[in-house]
Amino acid sequence: MKITKKVFKEEMIQRLKEKYAMDISDATPQELFHVLGSVVKTYYADDWVQTWKDYLTEETKQVYYFSIEFLPGKMLKSNLLNLGILDTVRDGLTELGFSLDDIVDQEKDMALGNGGLGRLASCFMDSIASCGLPGNGNGIRYDYGLFKQRFVDGYQVELPDEWLNNGNVWEVRKESKAIDVRFGGDVYMMPLADGRLKPVYENSRLIKAVPYDTAMVGYQNDVVNTLRLWSVEIPASEESKYRSLEDRRELEDLTAVLYPDDSNERGRRIRLLQEYFFVSAGVQSIVRYFKKLNKPLTTMSQSIAIHINDTHPALCVPEMMRILLDECDLSWEQAWEITVKVMSYTNHTIMSEALEKWPIELMQDLLPRMYQIIEEIDRRFVNQYRKYYEADLIERTRIIRNGQVHMANLAIIGSHSTNGVAKLHTDLLKNVVLHDFYVIFPGRFNNKTNGIAERRWLQLSNEPLAKLLDKTIKTSWRQKPNDLHLLQNFVEDDAVLSAIEEAKYKNKVALAQYIKETTDIVVSPNAIFDVQIKRLHAYKRQLLNLLHILKLYFDIKAKPDLQMEPRVFIFGAKAAPSYSYAKAIIKTINETAQLINNDPDVKDRLKIVFLENYNVTLAERIIPAADVSEQISLASKEASGTSNMKLMLNGAVTLATLDGANIEIRDAVGKENIVIFGLTEEEVYAYYHAQNYNALGIYEDSPTIQKVLNAFIDGTIPNIQFEGQEIFDSLIKYNDEFFVLRDFDSYCLAQKRIEELYQDKRRWQQISLINIANAGKFSADHTVERYAEDIWQIEPVFAHKELTR
Ligand SMILES: *Cc1c(COP(=O)(O)O)cnc(C)c1O
């Protein structure tokens, strides 16, 4: 569809009149946003309907990506870009007297996720549509997204994220597609005359799952897929059971918040119900769709793939079994074969404490039929494999043990594919964490290194660089991220090198402005912008970063005229509300910032800026302005990481341990163009095996570490009596779980190396260029194409569209 500026302007004026009964010149940015959103929706409406019809009539195999988190951020600009009308709309608005950016600011971030996991799901949605792949998302429409973070006296305070307050222009409520979901009560199996068993439910409850669909617009390819999020309602038939306000509220709480507080029983019940709720609604609606195709159920895997993103949707396995057994009357063997062929699973963590488990009693109480089926899957698994493997191995891999249901085990046993998210991660799964499963199912394991949607993380968020790329290597990189490689030809071109630096400078000026507005801290765009943005977690080691900053501070205090490259250390991070250690680190960074930023001796050589409320939109502001990308997790702990990819794509130099995808980044750019430090994964495991890590010893041997750590407990950093002691104890008394002290010296040397490289201006520019040129490899487009071919067996649809266009 060709949309001209003229048509667009007329449409805006007309619709504003209809919706708000006013002239466009009187409209507020908020009103303009809503009208613009609804206009944009009409631009993809036909393609959305058509895409779905094509899938149906051509019986295209589709994948359904089940994820308890999606983190798309704002969608207006992304939709405009993907529709190919970003410039038309921007210019049209300018002519009407408005700025697109002001209007864009009105949109609230859709933050239905915590961090990497949800962001990955959203990058995949963008890439699946942009690659013309038939795929849909399936998740939960939380009334409140991830909390809004504020700092009060340096402490994190959590405020509700009321993202739906002004309505959500993008979603379409589809009442007619609602699904009933059953939970609670008792179930027993009643034999029928023909010998089959039929479940009879007593005292169970029904809730209504109503889908809200959001268009996932492909990049200039006419493909529009669907993200389907489910919201809970009370079914008309059950109205009488919910008499009191309390009863209703309890039910409505089900899709109220992302991560109910799981430190209490009530929160845990809600969480498990949430998982079943979106799984059951999703799988039921998929089977309903499949039945429309009039094909034998045994061929389901030729039409449907279901992806289990982390273990939260692992109940897809028993739910599919339930439907096939109880509602479609298949035999166990038939149902199991179909289920395993349809399902695939991604593991996102190696930390065993993060592997999800549910107490048997809770599962039995809330989801009795699910529990029966899981028990039977477990029983058959044990029976089948105990013939071939030792009893211990079977015991370690079975689903139900020690009174708990092990969700990862369920997902692996019930699917045909288990993948890790970076080479190192997958190797660790095969060799250590899931080794027992690898012995039984070697063919099921595979790697799919994570990726990012380069459209959002470069085209939209870094226009100065994007324009420079267009000028230097033409525009094909916008369609084919691998073409960024063409930039490599300019590695000796002084004009291009300085232009890259100028683009970066421009972005740094913009970020400095934002920092001034939001924190009142003045930073110089000539300083090194050293960025660590990610969830606050002990394993990610924001603490290591802080220890180094303190070391620099004490160096300055000891030698007031010390020559050093000025640095701005920028943090963005939320801590889980119940994670007190992570909150202590936030408080300590904030107090250290107060101390250093206001110390006249420092003379602007050091600044610490901790920006509030890290989210996708803030990431889009920070990343284009970053010089240094801090990826300093303890080797073996970060499954992949994706902010490492976003930052390299924007020309930041990576300062990293050999962890997650950092290893693949090093391989892509070459070891001269990345700064690596710290223990390797083998060295970390050697400590585990020998059990000889000794943090106290390291402390006692290093005057520098003593000086830095003592600052936590001797009042040097003010107002952290409690937090400082907690952190100090974690290192010294509890032996430093993430080897922060062991990597400290190596990290300081690496930081020194960063400074030297930065001082060699041309060298720095070249490294920056090489990072950009080699970031195409980490496009999520490639990642989803690998999933499509190896795991889902789905094919792009626009092969034929291209011909008919
Ligand atoms: C990319 C991204 C993440 C993931 O960051 P990691 O450093 O890979 O953990 C988390 N949150 C947001 C908002 C992101 O954009």
Side-chain angles (χ1 to χ4, degrees):
M1 188 186 356
K2 188 78 196 125
I3 294 142
T4 64
K5 204 162 50 179
K6 180 161 172 291
V7 171
F8 165 70
K9 279 161 56 183
E10 285 166 5
E11 192 134 9
M12 282 298 290
I13 293 167
Q14 187 54 32
R15 287 215 173 213
L16 210 118
K17 230 177 253 162
E18 285 164 20
K19 186 163 163 119
Y20 294 108
M22 61 166 73
D23 275 345
I24 194 158
S25 52
D26 299 326
T28 63
Q30 177 64 223
E31 288 159 347
L32 286 163
F33 168 70
H34 279 274
V35 170
L36 178 53
S38 59
V39 168
V40 170
K41 242 163 126 176
T42 65
Y43 293 158
Y44 61 65
D46 288 343
D47 282 342
W48 200 4
V49 173
Q50 193 58 45
T51 300
W52 194 82
K53 274 195 186 156
D54 286 352
Y55 292 165
L56 185 67
T57 54
E58 289 163 34
E59 304 186 351
T60 317
K61 180 171 180 183
Q62 296 182 61
V63 65
Y64 295 83
Y65 194 85
F66 279 60
S67 179
I68 204 158
E69 301 190 9
F70 286 92
L71 198 57
K74 301 191 201 299
M75 276 182 287
L76 174 56
K77 249 173 135 180
S78 161
N79 283 337
L80 293 174
L81 176 78
N82 288 8
L83 288 168
I85 55 173
L86 182 56
D87 291 333
T88 311
V89 165
R90 189 196 311 263
D91 295 349
L93 288 168
T94 307
E95 287 176 18
L96 290 168
F98 304 106
S99 128
L100 174 62
D101 288 336
D102 291 347
I103 298 172
V104 164
D105 281 346
Q106 298 300 313
E107 181 172 359
K108 296 210 168 136
D109 269 43
M110 184 172 177
L112 308 184
N114 281 284
L117 180 83
R119 186 53 231 169
L120 183 78
S122 286
C123 280
F124 278 11
M125 286 297 108
D126 184 312
S127 286
I128 287 172
S130 295
C131 293
L133 290 164
N136 312 285
N138 190 81
I140 298 176
R141 179 182 178 272
Y142 303 100
D143 301 329
Y144 298 91
L146 182 61
F147 66 87
K148 197 157 91 186
Q149 181 195 52
R150 289 285 167 257
F151 295 143
V152 177
D153 296 333
Y155 290 106
Q156 167 174 296
V157 172
E158 300 103 29
L159 303 172
D161 167 40
E162 298 171 330
W163 73 290
L164 288 169
N165 259 8
N166 300 321
N168 172 4
V169 270
W170 308 116
E171 68 186 12
V172 180
R173 177 187 154 90
K174 294 228 172 106
E175 166 106 47
S176 67
K177 305 273 186 197
I179 297 266
D180 282 344
V181 174
R182 184 186 294 280
F183 72 95
D186 291 309
V187 61
Y188 61 90
M189 303 307 285
M190 190 172 69
L192 299 181
D194 61 5
R196 286 180 298 124
L197 294 172
K198 185 179 159 0
V200 177
Y201 295 92
E202 276 175 0
N203 302 318
S204 65
R205 288 161 77 178
L206 281 183
I207 44 179
K208 186 160 122 182
V210 180
Y212 287 72
D213 288 354
T214 300
M216 296 288 114
V217 180
Y219 183 68
Q220 300 174 20
N221 65 0
D222 304 341
V223 173
V224 182
N225 290 330
T226 301
L227 169 62
R228 173 161 283 187
L229 302 179
W230 300 93
S231 181
V232 70
E233 291 184 19
I234 296 169
S237 63
E238 306 266 306
E239 276 288 353
S240 59
K241 293 189 189 160
Y242 297 91
R243 296 236 183 78
S244 72
L245 225 55
E246 257 93 305
D247 284 355
R248 299 186 74 93
R249 188 160 309 135
E250 192 173 317
L251 186 87
E252 285 156 2
D253 273 355
L254 189 55
T255 52
V257 292
L258 170 81
Y259 282 107
D261 179 2
D262 63 3
S263 61
N264 62 57
E265 174 76 8
R266 186 183 125 84
R268 284 192 294 272
R269 289 174 76 89
I270 295 177
R271 176 75 171 165
L272 180 58
L273 272 185
Q274 280 185 340
E275 294 186 356
Y276 183 61
F277 173 76
F278 89 104
V279 158
S280 177
V283 177
Q284 286 190 62
S285 78
I286 291 166
V287 175
R288 178 175 66 191
Y289 166 81
F290 179 73
K291 284 184 170 169
K292 273 198 216 173
L293 303 176
N294 273 320
K295 293 180 172 177
L297 284 164
T298 47
T299 68
M300 190 190 286
S301 68
Q302 292 165 29
S303 302
I304 306 286
I306 291 179
H307 198 81
I308 299 172
N309 186 37
D310 212 339
T311 53
H312 322 109
L315 290 171
C316 280
V317 172
E319 177 64 2
M320 180 62 91
M321 288 298 288
R322 181 190 70 78
I323 296 169
L324 296 177
L325 294 168
D326 298 353
E327 294 177 8
C328 305
D329 293 327
L330 294 191
S331 71
W332 183 278
E333 289 75 14
Q334 283 173 321
W336 184 246
E337 191 179 333
I338 296 167
T339 300
V340 171
K341 275 190 186 158
V342 166
M343 304 292 164
S344 52
Y345 158 62
T346 297
N347 173 288
H348 285 271
T349 182
I350 64 152
M351 301 218 263
S352 51
E353 69 272 21
L355 287 175
E356 201 186 5
K357 305 172 201 77
W358 290 104
I360 290 173
E361 304 78 55
L362 187 65
M363 183 91 71
Q364 262 176 329
D365 185 34
L366 289 175
L367 308 169
R369 185 67 183 131
M370 283 297 98
Y371 185 70
Q372 282 180 346
I373 292 171
I374 292 170
E375 233 178 358
E376 183 63 12
I377 296 172
D378 183 59
R379 195 184 66 79
R380 287 178 184 244
F381 170 77
V382 172
N383 261 345
Q384 182 175 355
Y385 291 100
R386 73 167 166 213
K387 289 178 272 197
Y388 311 110
Y389 302 101
E390 42 154 328
D392 280 3
L393 186 137
I394 297 299
E395 198 48 38
R396 290 193 302 265
T397 47
R398 66 186 298 178
I399 302 165
I400 303 174
R401 66 193 163 94
N402 301 335
Q404 295 192 303
V405 179
H406 292 244
M407 302 301 269
N409 302 17
L410 175 62
I412 297 166
I413 291 168
S415 66
H416 67 278
S417 166
T418 293
N419 73 282
V421 292
K423 280 183 194 150
L424 173 69
H425 173 57
T426 302
D427 287 344
L428 285 169
L429 292 182
K430 288 186 194 173
N431 301 330
V432 186
V433 189
L434 300 177
H435 180 70
D436 294 329
F437 287 102
Y438 184 57
V439 169
I440 304 178
F441 305 118
R444 289 189 185 180
F445 282 77
N446 62 96
N447 175 247
K448 296 287 168 284
T449 300
N450 282 167
I452 55 168
E454 130 296 337
R455 286 165 291 280
R456 177 173 295 266
W457 297 109
L458 174 53
Q459 296 197 42
L460 285 176
S461 55
N462 194 346
E463 280 190 29
L465 179 58
K467 281 191 188 135
L468 171 63
L469 289 169
D470 287 346
K471 225 174 75 187
T472 313
I473 57 170
K474 306 279 178 349
T475 58
S476 66
W477 66 273
R478 291 179 180 262
Q479 287 283 355
K480 294 181 279 176
N482 265 346
D483 283 358
L484 286 169
H485 222 275
L486 296 169
L487 192 62
Q488 193 83 34
N489 298 329
F490 296 85
V491 71
E492 299 292 342
D493 184 318
D494 289 336
V496 170
L497 289 172
S498 341
I500 290 177
E501 189 187 323
E502 276 159 35
K504 178 67 74 183
Y505 186 79
K506 216 172 177 176
N507 295 327
K508 288 168 75 174
V509 170
L511 182 60
Q513 174 78 24
Y514 178 82
I515 289 172
K516 173 80 182 84
E517 280 163 17
T518 52
T519 66
D520 214 29
I521 300 171
V522 176
V523 300
S524 162
N526 293 310
I528 301 176
F529 280 21
D530 184 318
V531 167
Q532 188 171 20
I533 43 172
K534 47 189 74 248
R535 286 299 293 242
L536 201 314
H537 206 293
Y539 84 81
K540 291 177 183 278
R541 301 201 295 189
Q542 281 92 350
L543 181 57
L544 179 58
N545 190 342
L546 180 65
L547 297 188
H548 169 252
I549 297 170
L550 283 163
K551 177 194 174 291
L552 291 181
Y553 177 61
F554 294 135
D555 287 349
I556 290 173
K557 295 301 274 186
K559 198 167 171 247
D561 58 352
L562 183 76
Q563 289 288 318
M564 61 174 279
E565 206 55 49
R567 292 250 198 167
V568 181
F569 291 94
I570 298 168
F571 293 89
K574 287 178 181 172
S578 58
Y579 190 177
S580 74
Y581 183 70
K583 289 177 144 179
I585 291 176
I586 290 180
K587 167 72 170 166
T588 305
I589 295 175
N590 279 330
E591 291 297 338
T592 310
Q594 283 292 330
L595 174 72
I596 293 181
N597 295 348
N598 298 314
D599 186 332
D601 293 350
V602 173
K603 296 206 191 65
D604 292 343
R605 278 169 289 185
L606 290 181
K607 283 269 151 78
I608 304 180
V609 177
F610 201 145
L611 291 168
E612 279 176 328
N613 202 35
Y614 180 57
N615 61 13
V616 170
T617 297
L618 187 54
E620 288 169 13
R621 274 184 205 281
I622 297 172
I623 290 169
D627 293 310
V628 177
S629 162
E630 299 266 0
Q631 308 299 337
I632 60 177
S633 53
L634 175 65
S636 79
K637 293 294 178 276
E638 187 75 86
S640 162
T642 49
S643 74
N644 45 4
M645 301 168 184
K646 300 166 195 166
L647 283 152
M648 87 179 282
L649 175 66
N650 284 270
V653 177
T654 310
L655 169 52
T657 50
L658 289 174
D659 199 14
N662 300 345
I663 296 173
E664 287 155 79
I665 291 178
R666 179 201 58 182
D667 294 344
V669 299
K671 66 181 188 327
E672 310 75 32
N673 300 301
I674 186 168
V675 178
I676 297 290
F677 74 98
L679 294 174
T680 62
E681 166 261 321
E682 287 91 351
E683 290 164 339
V684 170
Y685 273 84
Y687 273 118
Y688 292 158
H689 291 134
Q691 299 192 3
N692 61 351
Y693 184 73
N694 178 7
L696 180 61
I698 298 173
Y699 173 80
E700 284 171 342
D701 288 348
S702 164
T704 310
I705 290 179
Q706 282 165 35
K707 172 131 182 109
V708 168
L709 287 200
N710 291 348
F712 286 75
I713 49 172
D714 66 8
T716 307
I717 308 169
N719 310 320
I720 56 155
Q721 254 151 322
F722 179 78
E723 295 79 13
Q725 190 68 49
E726 187 179 359
I727 294 168
F728 185 89
D729 287 349
S730 76
L731 297 174
I732 302 305
K733 198 163 155 195
Y734 300 107
N735 204 27
D736 184 15
E737 185 180 359
F738 297 104
F739 299 179
V740 173
L741 300 187
R742 179 64 179 78
D743 275 349
F744 178 76
D745 285 348
S746 167
Y747 180 61
C748 291
L749 285 174
Q751 282 285 17
K752 201 82 205 132
R753 176 90 191 116
I754 286 280
E755 180 169 41
E756 287 160 15
L757 287 171
Y758 192 82
Q759 283 166 344
D760 182 350
K761 204 166 165 156
R762 187 178 155 86
R763 182 79 194 94
W764 188 269
Q765 292 167 343
Q766 286 178 319
I767 298 177
S768 183
L769 178 146
I770 290 165
N771 272 271
I772 300 164
N774 289 286
K777 188 161 184 256
F778 300 101
S779 163
D781 296 3
H782 301 310
T783 313
V784 300
E785 276 167 354
R786 298 259 60 79
Y787 274 87
E789 251 183 77
D790 301 345
I791 300 179
W792 303 329
Q793 264 102 47
I794 57 169
E795 282 172 7
V797 288
F798 58 41
H800 95 263
K801 281 207 175 178
E802 209 98 288
L803 297 174
T804 55
R805 239 200 265 181

